[in-house]
Amino acid sequence: MAGAADTAPKRGRFAPYGLLSPGIIWLILFFLVPVAILLRASLSSQPERFVPDDLRFKWKWSNFSNALNRFGPQFQDAMRNALIAAVVVAVIIAAVVVLRRGLWHSTRARRLLIGALVAGFFGAYIITSTVDGWGDHFQRSFLYAGIATLLCIAIGYPLAYVIAFRGGAYKNLLLGLVVVPFFTTYLIRTIAWKTILFDNGPVVDILQSIGVLGDSGRLLATPGAVIGGLAYNFLPFMVLPIYVSLEKIDVNLVDAARDLYSSPARAFRKVVLPLSLPGIFAGTLLTFIPASGDFINAELLGSPTTSMIGNVVQNQFLVQLDYPTAAALSFVLMAIITIAVLIYAKALGTEDLTG
Amino acid sequence: MTTVERAVGGPAPVEVQRSFPPPWLRRGGSWLLNIYAVLGLVYLFIPIFVIVAFSFNAEETKFNFTWDGFTFDNWAHPFAEQGLVDAFVLSLEIAAIATAVAVVLGGLVALALTRYRFRGSALVNLFLVLPLTTPEIVLGASLASLFIAKTYPSPVPDSRGFLAILIAHVMFCVSFVALTVKARLRGFDWTLEDAAMDLGAGPVRTFTKVTLPLMLPGIMAAALLSFALSLDDFIITLFNSGDQTTFPIYIYGAAQRAIPPQIQVLSSMILIVSVGILATGTFVGRRRERAATS
């Protein structure tokens, strides 16, 4: 095998930019520019009538506060909740760091923890200072998406672990089995869950007869159904990155830990888990972000009392045609997520983020 | 190099090296973990069973939610719903074109990022990730406001429609393709290109005979991924579809009006085709490996 220096990428002056430009220009034109237009829309007033070629742009900062206030009557409660949540997260992280000094000694884990801490405080800062109100819908979005993400880790990590370390010759087949259900359309899968959880369906009947649900109890139209749907639909986005990071682990490291009289549990905690953290974080992003903006699960499996911020944006944009409000709401969602992502990316390095 | 290793180490050298999980774990309570993982896989397949089962449902109500009896009728007439067929064909068309464009654009980006070291590559890496870390609803709304920008904020007339869907799909597929191909190209031995050049091949010949064939597995994986993503995309498409009805949008409409069982039949067909592709891929991979070892 050739030495590392020989296989290293070439230095390029113009060629790389030439190769990059078509794709990157496409992304600039159809990702960056639209987002800028959306930002502009979120700050403009809606004119009374249609005037061709005249956008009649007027600054209207109050779109943000109006939009948020309209959908956020419980501003005071929410602000308090957000602060409490941020403090709890910070305390838990601090406790983990103090108790698990081994984790602290790993540079990457340390960077991750600092990143998480900063993100938590920064998030709380945005929530409490710039945002005028914090809607029920925002709260529900992040709550449901958060719980769904945790469920995905709980189901996905062991699955990825077993495939990576015990899959043997069947590794690719097992990975394929994880992906295959997702070749059926997203909406169809969600409709299938609606069929399963249907009010007169066998699952509800059984749960009613053994007394878990009351006689008029339902599974559909509950937060549980929405969270379950989200967790199901984004599970492969958790399994695949975790699998990739577990697969990269050099088993000799585990053997070394075992040779040095580490118990299997300890070897897992000190070697495997820290090395798979990038996978967990990438999976968390790939699960949490789409889940927090999703409206299909809330629409098909939920009720108006479980509707999320995605439902509001969709309704405002496509039904009410109130673009400024829709734009302002999407921007708040995107701003919070982008800041968190940038901090995580800084802590992780983008290389790891993309697997 | 892999060939040599396999020839020396026997058919499954990886298994020999691997002492993890340790025997303790393997023998002891490890079956619990295996069962948990199997349950996870079963969970993934629960709705799939329901979809396939309900494609055989003798539907009596408007919505395909209750089991009314077994029938082959739906499979005998899978294309009975004209609107559904049109929507499905439109989705296939869009997926095919979007994939073709995205593979070229994304493949070039991946090539630039792995083949060269240059200023700003970290920024490009970050930029590629951004569309994937932006909620779909924001992407959909922002693209829609681009396509109605001329007349903004009046909703009519706007330029949303076939081309808008295509542009949107290429946009998110480019990122996926670039990242997938890039991941496959990492650690690629670029001296092979120099070797080809030294042996008298021109740059074009080197690319078509050396670089492209070596990129091909990554490109194939990326193409499959982006085809599937495009076929399945709903949220971004809904915002930019105009008067076009793709497969997911048809289903969305059907979920509010009436769900013909043909939807389940077509979904089962997609499933069968993708399982077929997966099985073929595994089979071909195995055979190639066996050919390499013998």
Side-chain angles (χ1 to χ4, degrees):
Chain A
M1 174 109 191
D6 293 330
T7 58
K10 302 169 184 185
R11 239 174 238 288
R13 258 184 127 183
F14 302 112
Y17 301 106
L19 291 173
L20 278 176
S21 53
I24 295 301
I25 287 172
W26 193 288
L27 282 181
I28 289 172
L29 281 183
F30 301 118
F31 171 68
L32 273 193
V33 171
V35 167
I37 292 175
L38 192 72
L39 178 63
R40 187 191 141 103
S42 74
L43 292 171
S44 69
S45 61
Q46 185 129 333
E48 310 281 304
R49 60 195 175 82
F50 166 56
V51 184
D53 297 325
D54 176 11
L55 298 172
R56 309 220 326 183
F57 181 79
K58 283 186 204 138
W59 288 102
K60 198 178 167 209
W61 290 97
S62 56
N63 278 333
F64 278 90
S65 52
N66 287 347
L68 289 166
N69 279 331
R70 184 139 41 114
F71 299 102
Q74 296 169 330
F75 162 53
Q76 291 291 338
D77 282 357
M79 196 169 80
R80 204 167 45 234
N81 290 351
L83 261 180
I84 293 170
V87 171
V88 168
V89 168
V91 168
I92 290 172
I93 291 172
V96 168
V97 171
V98 172
L99 291 176
R100 298 258 161 274
R101 285 191 52 229
L103 264 183
W104 186 249
H105 287 304
S106 141
T107 321
R108 170 164 289 159
R110 194 164 60 223
R111 273 154 70 202
L112 285 177
L113 290 168
I114 293 171
L117 204 65
V118 174
F121 277 121
F122 210 89
Y125 173 74
I126 302 173
I127 291 160
T128 50
S129 63
T130 54
V131 160
D132 203 12
W134 187 249
D136 291 357
H137 295 83
F138 271 110
Q139 266 190 324
R140 270 200 294 268
S141 288
F142 290 121
L143 182 69
Y144 291 177
I147 298 175
T149 306
L150 291 179
L151 276 176
C152 282
I153 296 177
I155 301 167
Y157 195 98
L159 189 55
Y161 181 91
V162 168
I163 296 176
F165 289 130
R166 304 182 187 178
Y170 300 102
K171 225 182 253 181
N172 285 335
L173 183 72
L174 288 171
L175 266 188
L177 285 179
V178 171
V179 181
V180 156
F182 296 86
F183 282 117
T184 52
T185 309
Y186 181 30
L187 281 151
I188 281 283
R189 295 193 305 264
T190 315
I191 289 173
W193 275 112
K194 194 168 179 171
T195 311
I196 296 165
L197 305 175
F198 202 57
D199 288 343
N200 302 320
V203 177
V204 170
D205 282 350
I206 291 168
L207 288 178
Q208 281 176 346
S209 64
I210 60 171
V212 176
L213 281 174
D215 282 343
S216 57
R218 324 178 52 185
L219 286 175
L220 274 184
T222 59
V226 180
I227 294 168
L230 289 171
Y232 177 80
N233 278 314
F234 298 111
L235 187 55
F237 295 105
M238 183 63 80
V239 176
L240 295 179
I242 294 179
Y243 170 81
V244 169
S245 65
L246 285 174
E247 172 74 349
K248 276 189 207 154
I249 294 177
D250 183 356
V251 283
N252 292 329
L253 290 175
V254 184
D255 290 343
R258 296 283 291 129
D259 288 345
L260 295 167
Y261 302 107
S262 161
S263 73
R266 200 177 149 87
F268 173 78
R269 224 172 52 233
K270 298 276 179 183
V271 178
V272 179
L273 188 61
L275 285 172
S276 64
L277 274 182
I280 297 177
F281 272 81
T284 302
L285 293 182
L286 290 176
T287 309
F288 182 79
I289 294 168
S292 61
D294 182 84
F295 64 88
I296 301 188
N297 289 284
E299 184 169 331
L300 293 178
L301 302 174
S303 68
T305 57
T306 62
S307 78
M308 294 162 68
I309 198 64
N311 301 72
V312 181
V313 173
Q314 187 249 347
N315 183 52
Q316 290 296 318
F317 201 103
L318 293 176
V319 182
Q320 313 289 338
L321 302 179
D322 184 351
Y323 302 127
T325 302
L329 288 171
S330 358
F331 245 87
V332 175
L333 178 68
M334 191 177 159
I336 294 170
I337 288 174
T338 306
I339 289 166
V341 167
L342 288 177
I343 292 168
Y344 281 135
K346 195 79 192 156
L348 273 165
T350 46
E351 289 288 307
D352 290 323
L353 199 69
T354 58
Chain B
M1 160 160 174
T2 34
T3 321
V4 176
E5 200 175 70
R6 281 214 183 86
V8 174
V14 180
E15 295 317 297
V16 179
Q17 292 174 357
R18 211 152 257 198
S19 64
F20 186 80
W24 173 93
L25 210 68
R26 226 176 293 156
R27 266 183 273 109
S30 75
W31 54 272
L32 264 178
L33 187 61
N34 289 346
I35 287 176
Y36 187 85
V38 169
L39 284 179
L41 272 182
V42 170
Y43 169 68
L44 282 171
F45 274 89
I46 291 172
I48 307 308
F49 289 133
V50 171
I51 292 166
V52 175
F54 275 73
S55 72
F56 292 105
N57 191 12
E59 191 182 12
E60 281 166 7
T61 50
K62 259 175 42 176
F63 292 99
N64 206 351
F65 290 152
T66 46
W67 183 254
D68 299 321
F70 186 87
T71 179
F72 278 117
D73 281 359
N74 310 327
W75 279 86
H77 309 285
F79 306 119
E81 294 281 327
Q82 192 52 45
L84 177 63
V85 176
D86 292 344
F88 190 61
V89 170
L90 178 70
S91 274
L92 288 179
E93 260 174 54
I94 290 173
I97 304 174
T99 301
V101 178
V103 160
V104 175
L105 298 185
L108 291 178
V109 171
L111 192 62
L113 284 174
T114 45
R115 192 169 186 232
Y116 299 101
R117 270 177 301 162
F118 59 96
R119 237 173 232 278
S121 60
L123 193 69
V124 172
N125 273 321
L126 184 65
F127 187 48
L128 282 177
V129 184
L130 279 183
L132 312 184
T133 54
T134 307
E136 272 198 80
I137 192 143
V138 178
L139 291 179
S142 58
L143 272 164
S145 46
L146 172 78
F147 293 124
I148 59 178
K150 262 192 184 153
T151 56
Y152 175 80
S154 165
V156 282
D158 60 41
S159 53
R160 288 178 289 182
F162 184 80
L163 201 62
I165 302 177
L166 207 56
I167 286 172
H169 284 205
V170 171
M171 187 269 293
F172 63 77
C173 287
V174 163
S175 279
F176 271 106
V177 170
L179 294 174
T180 312
V181 176
K182 200 185 81 174
R184 290 287 177 103
L185 281 180
R186 203 175 293 157
F188 182 84
D189 187 356
W190 295 106
T191 51
L192 287 174
E193 283 189 333
D194 299 338
M197 300 268 221
D198 287 347
L199 294 170
V204 177
R205 211 173 139 84
T206 306
F207 182 77
T208 53
K209 293 279 175 188
V210 177
T211 318
L212 196 59
L214 286 166
M215 281 175 80
L216 211 56
I219 287 179
M220 286 302 289
L224 277 178
L225 180 69
S226 86
F227 192 86
L229 285 169
S230 167
L231 200 61
D232 198 24
D233 183 74
F234 171 66
I235 296 180
I236 298 174
T237 313
L238 181 71
F239 275 83
N240 296 289
S241 57
D243 58 353
Q244 303 285 314
T245 307
T246 62
F247 187 51
I249 288 179
Y250 182 90
I251 297 169
Y252 183 65
Q256 282 147 354
R257 293 189 314 270
I259 302 178
Q262 274 79 14
I263 288 183
Q264 272 85 359
V265 175
L266 279 185
S267 301
S268 306
M269 286 180 177
I270 300 178
L271 193 72
I272 293 167
V273 170
S274 43
V275 170
I277 292 175
L278 180 75
T280 320
T282 317
F283 182 68
V284 170
R286 281 272 176 83
R287 267 185 54 173
R288 209 174 279 163
E289 249 174 59
R290 225 173 287 152
T293 47
S294 60

